Amino acid sequence: FKMAFFKQLPLPRMATVPKEAFKTYHAVFDQFVEKILWGLMQKKVIDGLISPVSMGKEANIFTAKSGNKTVIVKIYRLSTCNFDRMYSFIRTDPRFPEINRQRRKVVFAWAQREFRNLLKARESGVRVPIPFMNKYNVLVMEMVGDEIPSPKAKDVMPKDPKAFINDIILQMRKLYKAGLVHGDLSPFNILNKNDQPVIIDMSQSTTLEDPNAQEYFTRDIKNVAAYANRIGVSLTVEQLMKKVKA
């Protein structure tokens, strides 16, 4: 385990985790991931990792230094990810017709899929993080936030709930017109950056040509409508679907 991955750089209001603390995350850094991270550092994509944002069964997310910017490094786990869930989502995506049930190939495709979805969404004007690069199971992207990562919508009440929901609807409409369905949209996958919604976690997003696209789209609609009503904005599933498809 190479501690040199972690840059002990003081950032305003961002607590830098002591080197010893990272020993608890050693499972993230097998030799395969170490090689990828060293390669990214040699190519000056990142200077080093700073601190963890979240540690999950599917992926581990870190802040990292890249020149004078702070970026996000998302590392999809090869051993403990929900492989069955990943495969069930990606096997019907027409962009991955040759995918099989080999774990590593599915995880690599999953990371590539998020990269491609973010690129397409950005090109269509959807407010999502800027994707910088993808290498196997590692994704480097823009950090949404000023000095620290922005909170999820589930954790912060917007100052103007109606405007926030209307902005989410706008982002959903742009995404739909781009031919994409998020597939897991909820306040867990929407960040609140200065009262503007930013859509994240697009690895499960698929095209409208996917035979399951309508099912995923309906689920997104139900989740967002429920969230709107929870924060005091009256919105039915039918109304939201009509607005997104307008």
Side-chain angles (χ1 to χ4, degrees):
F1 182 78
K2 298 179 176 62
M3 292 299 179
F5 284 133
F6 297 98
K7 301 288 286 185
Q8 297 300 298
L9 299 172
L11 294 176
R13 296 188 322 202
M14 180 182 286
T16 304
V17 177
K19 290 182 179 180
E20 294 75 13
F22 286 104
K23 293 179 181 178
T24 61
Y25 308 126
H26 70 278
V28 178
F29 302 105
D30 56 21
Q31 291 184 350
F32 183 76
V33 171
E34 285 186 359
K35 185 177 180 180
I36 295 173
L37 292 176
W38 278 118
L40 295 181
M41 291 172 66
Q42 290 172 351
K43 293 178 180 178
K44 307 298 182 182
V45 176
I46 61 172
D47 302 323
L49 305 182
I50 301 172
S51 61
V53 176
S54 68
M55 310 295 289
K57 290 183 178 180
E58 182 174 285
N60 298 291
I61 301 174
F62 291 85
T63 52
K65 203 65 180 173
S66 178
N68 60 357
K69 304 190 302 293
T70 302
V71 298
I72 290 292
V73 175
K74 188 172 186 178
I75 304 170
Y76 281 100
R77 303 189 68 139
L78 291 170
S79 58
T80 61
C81 64
N82 189 336
F83 171 75
D84 289 335
R85 174 182 177 275
M86 286 182 173
Y87 184 70
S88 69
F89 268 99
I90 203 169
R91 68 182 179 84
T92 57
D93 189 329
R95 297 171 297 179
F96 296 88
E98 304 299 324
I99 197 71
N100 56 44
R101 287 186 64 88
Q102 292 183 9
R103 176 178 289 271
R104 290 170 74 87
K105 288 185 178 180
V106 169
V107 176
F108 295 164
W110 192 254
Q112 182 193 74
R113 191 187 198 206
E114 179 158 27
F115 182 77
R116 290 175 60 176
N117 287 335
L118 288 170
L119 278 178
K120 187 171 182 63
R122 288 287 304 189
E123 290 170 357
S124 302
V126 185
R127 195 180 299 117
V128 298
I130 301 170
F132 296 132
M133 66 80 58
N134 161 236
K135 182 75 171 180
Y136 298 115
N137 60 322
V138 177
L139 178 64
V140 181
M141 69 187 97
E142 173 191 19
M143 185 192 80
V144 177
D146 298 320
E147 297 172 343
I148 58 174
S150 295
K152 293 183 177 181
K154 72 179 181 69
D155 297 322
V156 175
M157 181 72 174
K159 296 176 182 177
D160 187 339
K162 186 174 182 180
F164 193 77
I165 292 299
N166 284 339
D167 202 336
I168 291 176
I169 295 172
L170 176 61
Q171 304 312 313
M172 293 176 71
R173 185 184 303 132
K174 290 179 179 179
L175 193 65
Y176 191 80
K177 287 184 176 180
L180 289 175
V181 173
H182 186 280
D184 193 26
L185 194 61
S186 76
F188 285 83
N189 291 328
I190 299 172
L191 299 181
N192 183 335
K193 181 185 179 184
N194 303 322
D195 252 30
Q196 285 189 321
V198 181
I199 295 175
I200 61 169
D201 290 343
M202 294 192 64
S203 54
Q204 70 289 315
S205 301
T206 191
T207 69
L208 292 176
E209 288 73 35
D210 189 314
N212 295 322
Q214 190 57 44
E215 175 189 343
Y216 301 154
F217 178 66
T218 300
R219 182 167 60 200
D220 287 349
I221 292 290
K222 289 180 178 178
N223 287 341
V224 173
Y227 168 63
N229 284 280
R230 190 158 61 249
I231 62 174
V233 180
S234 179
L235 185 65
T236 67
V237 168
E238 292 74 20
Q239 288 171 335
L240 179 54
M241 190 168 292
K242 184 177 180 180
K243 289 176 182 290
V244 173
K245 289 185 174 183

